């Protein structure tokens, strides 16, 4: 029997496991720090995007096969080291994603009320690390920094009415806080222009159908309409949405303003954020942004930085600090050690991008390990964890946690996610 460990139970991890489990005589252990699987699907995808979250049923099909096992509530680096895993398994695949925020490197970024998108998204999605975040929602202005889909998710969640969350799995503490929110003006700041956004048509289109919020774009920020013909079809459709926001006649209590050619250069406030100092930019021939020297202030009691993510380093694993990912040769890090998904590529692409990536790394592992080296695999891991009084959470345990969350659901939502590890373990009598 050949043995493979995958560290991380998100999309990249399960797509890799899907390829591996089709091979003969391979046992796969999917290890995760949390007692619950699916990573980004559970705590990263917006709670009102349930159709996207439904992909977890595909991963469940893989998890329920005889040769794939979920090993939850096991922390790599604390309960077991990478070196120990490499010694126990024919191959170890790092599928840890990019869960850390890329730092906002401007003066004042450490003020209270300046929050990274990983933390803010984790807060409203019930990630145990961020359940106690308590973002300040007591001021009318919010600045969202970034021109990607995460920035749109943050703006949309801040702008929705309580009724618009029906059918989502937004957690109770976020739903309650947002219902009492004083936020009325959301400003999305992007260094470049409408033709350089990383926003997809679906997410932009959703903003035009919010009950109490109007998206707005300054017509002066848009290039001549004829220039849209040079864009690829998806981008052209996105820019068409932006053009429609320039003539929004509906007066609603919440505004979402797209502020293009706007580069935050400082954050100011007395003990907490009160304003963002923004410099106007211009683009050179290579479409790089440069400051013009013209500055202005945006009032904000909350700043959410959506400028990208990075993979946290692991001691002893080669790492590219400039790119925020593990250093690898097309996925091979060291003998017996691999990376897949965002841990390999950096934070780029969608959930679906991880499917061909997982298949390729899975096939690479199968080719590399040959018939295996007779390593102990899961039996060795079980013995090691038992010696350290660590009891993993199984996939069967997860199904019990899931059933308890569904039973606790309120207001027609599919589930009421547990937001602490203690609550998750309590659902299975631990």
């Amino acid at each position: 029997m050949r043995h493979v460990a995958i560290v991380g139970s998100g999309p990249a991890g399960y797509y890799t496991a899907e390829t591996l489990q089709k091979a003969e005589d391979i046992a796969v252990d999917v290890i995760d720090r949390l007692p619950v699987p699916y990573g980004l699907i559970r705590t990263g995808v917006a709670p009102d995007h349930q159709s996207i979250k439904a992909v977890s049923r595909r991963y469940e099909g893989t998890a329920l096969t005889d040769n794939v096992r979920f090993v939850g509530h096991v922390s790599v680096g604390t309960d077991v080291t990478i070196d120990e895993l490499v010694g126990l398994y024919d191959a170890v695949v790092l599928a840890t994603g990019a869960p850390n925020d890329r730092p906002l490197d401007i003066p004042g970024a450490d003020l209270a009320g300046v929050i990274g998108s990983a933390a803010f998204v984790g807060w409203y999605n019930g990630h145990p690390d961020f359940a106690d975040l308590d973002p300040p929602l007591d001021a009318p202005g919010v600045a969202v920094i970034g021109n990607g889909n995460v920035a749109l998710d943050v703006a949309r969640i801040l702008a929705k009415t309580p009724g618009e969350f029906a059918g989502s799995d937004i957690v109770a503490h976020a739903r309650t806080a947002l219902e009492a929110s004083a936020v009325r003006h959301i400003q999305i700041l992007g260094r470049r222009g409408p033709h350089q956004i990383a926003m997809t048509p679906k997410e932009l289109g959703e903003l035009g159908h919010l009950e109490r919020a109007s998206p707005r774009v300054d017509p002066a920020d848009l290039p001549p309409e004829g220039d849209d013909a040079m864009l690829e079809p998806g981008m052209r459709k996105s820019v068409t949405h932006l053009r429609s926001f320039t003539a929004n006649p509906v007066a609603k209590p919440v505004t979402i303003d797209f502020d293009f050619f706007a580069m935050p250069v400082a954050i100011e406030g007395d003990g907490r954020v009160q304003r963002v100092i923004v410099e106007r930019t211009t683009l050179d021939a290579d479409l790089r942004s440069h400051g013009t020297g013209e500055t202005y202030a945006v009032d904000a009691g909350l700043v959410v930085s959506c400028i990208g993510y990075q993979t946290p380093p692991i001691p002893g694993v080669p790492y590219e600090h400039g790119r925020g990912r593990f250093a690898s040769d097309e996925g091979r890090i060291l003998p017996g050690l691999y990376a897949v998904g965002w841990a390999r590529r950096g934070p780029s692409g969608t959930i679906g991008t991880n499917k061909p990536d997982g298949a390729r790394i899975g096939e690479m592992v199968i080719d590399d390990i040959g018939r295996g080296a007779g390593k102990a695999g899961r039996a060795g891991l079980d013995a090691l964890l038992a010696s350290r009084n660590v009891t993993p959470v199984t996939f069967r345990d997860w199904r019990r946690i899931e059933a308890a969350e569904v039973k606790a659901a309120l207001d027609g939502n599919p589930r009421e996610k547990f937001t602490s590890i203690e609550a998750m373990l309590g659902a299975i009598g631990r």
Side-chain angles (χ1 to χ4, degrees), residues 348-360:
S348 63
T350 64
I351 290 169
T353 310
N354 291 300
K355 182 181 177 182
D357 199 31
R360 195 176 67 81

Side-chain angles (χ1 to χ4, degrees), residues 52 58 74 109 125 141 143 180 190 193 201 208 223 237 248 254 279 305 332 376 394 401:
I52 297 175
R58 175 172 183 153
V74 171
N125 261 323
K237 190 172 182 179
N248 197 332
V254 177
E279 183 176 7
S305 174
R332 295 182 178 91
T394 66
I401 294 171

Side-chain angles (χ1 to χ4, degrees), residues 159-172:
K160 278 196 165 186
T161 64
E164 287 177 288
F165 286 117
S168 78
D169 64 349
I170 190 168
V171 292

